[in-house]
Amino acid sequence: AVVSTQSGHYGRGSLSSRAFRFYYEGELIGTKDTASGKKLPIDGYMVLGNEFDSFGGGFEDGNAFGGEMFKINVFSKELTGVEIKEMKDGGICSEVELTYGRTRYLKWSDFLLEERSGNVTEIHVGCDNELSRWDILFTSPFLNKPLTQDMVNSLRHGWDILEDFVGATVTERFILHFKFYHEEEHEQ
């Protein structure tokens, strides 16, 4: 099994090679040999963010992970260092892991559906495939600034201009027109 995350830390291991390799920022930083003859049970558990003190439980708060985890995947084959680096270089919004098809045994979306315990918070990472009408507030004219009436008016004006185009098909070219010819009007 191979575990990869998009937070810069990667690990890969193989039952055939009996080694676990650790990656940071796409570079191999260490290797640990696994015990010979160990088998993974079919009815086992996978835990993210803590360690078992006994089979199926017994967690201690002092062992809890503190930080962020993104896009963890478990693969049914050992990935090469090049493949791991490709995932890292793709960034958090990359979908390169989709190219592995059925060899991606457990997907990040699978983990998100599972039961959680402790202090776990889901956050929006701002990827284009997760757009919301509110994402405009993540942009520099608004983010971390007190909301003013001028900001609201700017937003309102930026959308009101679309009334002149009712009936037009929204295409990439249509959007690029607004980005090129009307971006400055919106930011004022």
Side-chain angles (χ1 to χ4, degrees):
V2 180
V3 177
S4 75
T5 73
Q6 287 292 330
S7 63
H9 299 80
Y10 299 83
R12 78 173 191 198
S14 168
L15 296 178
S16 59
S17 69
R18 300 280 181 212
F20 198 79
R21 292 168 187 80
F22 297 92
Y23 289 80
Y24 179 75
E25 299 294 329
E27 300 296 326
L28 181 66
I29 60 168
T31 302
K32 178 176 171 133
D33 290 329
T34 58
S36 179
K38 284 228 173 189
K39 295 189 188 270
L40 294 175
I42 291 178
D43 63 342
Y45 292 90
M46 178 175 275
V47 175
L48 302 177
N50 209 320
E51 64 176 306
F52 286 127
D53 292 320
S54 61
F55 185 74
F59 302 111
E60 291 182 22
D61 289 342
N63 296 332
F65 172 78
E68 298 175 343
M69 292 184 202
F70 297 98
K71 294 176 76 169
I72 295 172
N73 294 280
V74 177
F75 296 87
S76 62
K77 71 171 193 136
E78 184 175 359
L79 302 182
T80 67
V82 170
E83 291 170 318
I84 290 172
K85 184 155 178 36
E86 178 184 24
M87 281 188 210
K88 181 263 179 202
D89 290 346
I92 196 163
C93 294
S94 164
E95 294 184 346
V96 69
E97 68 277 5
L98 299 179
T99 64
Y100 290 92
R102 291 181 181 223
T103 59
R104 193 166 62 128
Y105 185 72
L106 291 175
K107 304 170 195 74
W108 181 234
S109 57
D110 298 330
F111 289 106
L112 293 177
L113 295 173
E114 293 300 320
E115 179 183 340
R116 304 170 199 182
S117 63
N119 186 12
V120 178
T121 304
E122 268 190 64
I123 61 169
H124 172 75
V125 296
C127 296
D128 290 341
N129 57 0
E130 301 176 25
L131 287 180
S132 146
R133 70 181 181 148
W134 301 106
D135 286 341
I136 193 165
L137 299 176
F138 283 113
T139 63
S140 61
F142 304 99
L143 189 62
N144 297 320
K145 296 182 178 138
L147 187 62
T148 66
Q149 188 61 50
D150 287 340
M151 289 176 170
V152 173
N153 292 341
S154 168
L155 286 170
R156 193 171 287 134
H157 172 73
W159 294 113
D160 286 347
I161 197 170
L162 289 175
E163 289 179 17
D164 295 335
F165 295 89
V166 169
T169 302
V170 179
T171 63
E172 184 176 350
R173 193 169 175 189
F174 179 86
I175 297 166
L176 291 174
H177 165 84
F178 282 97
K179 288 179 83 170
F180 185 78
Y181 291 105
H182 302 286
E183 192 71 27
E184 290 179 11
E185 294 172 14
H186 171 71
E187 291 177 359
Q188 293 175 1

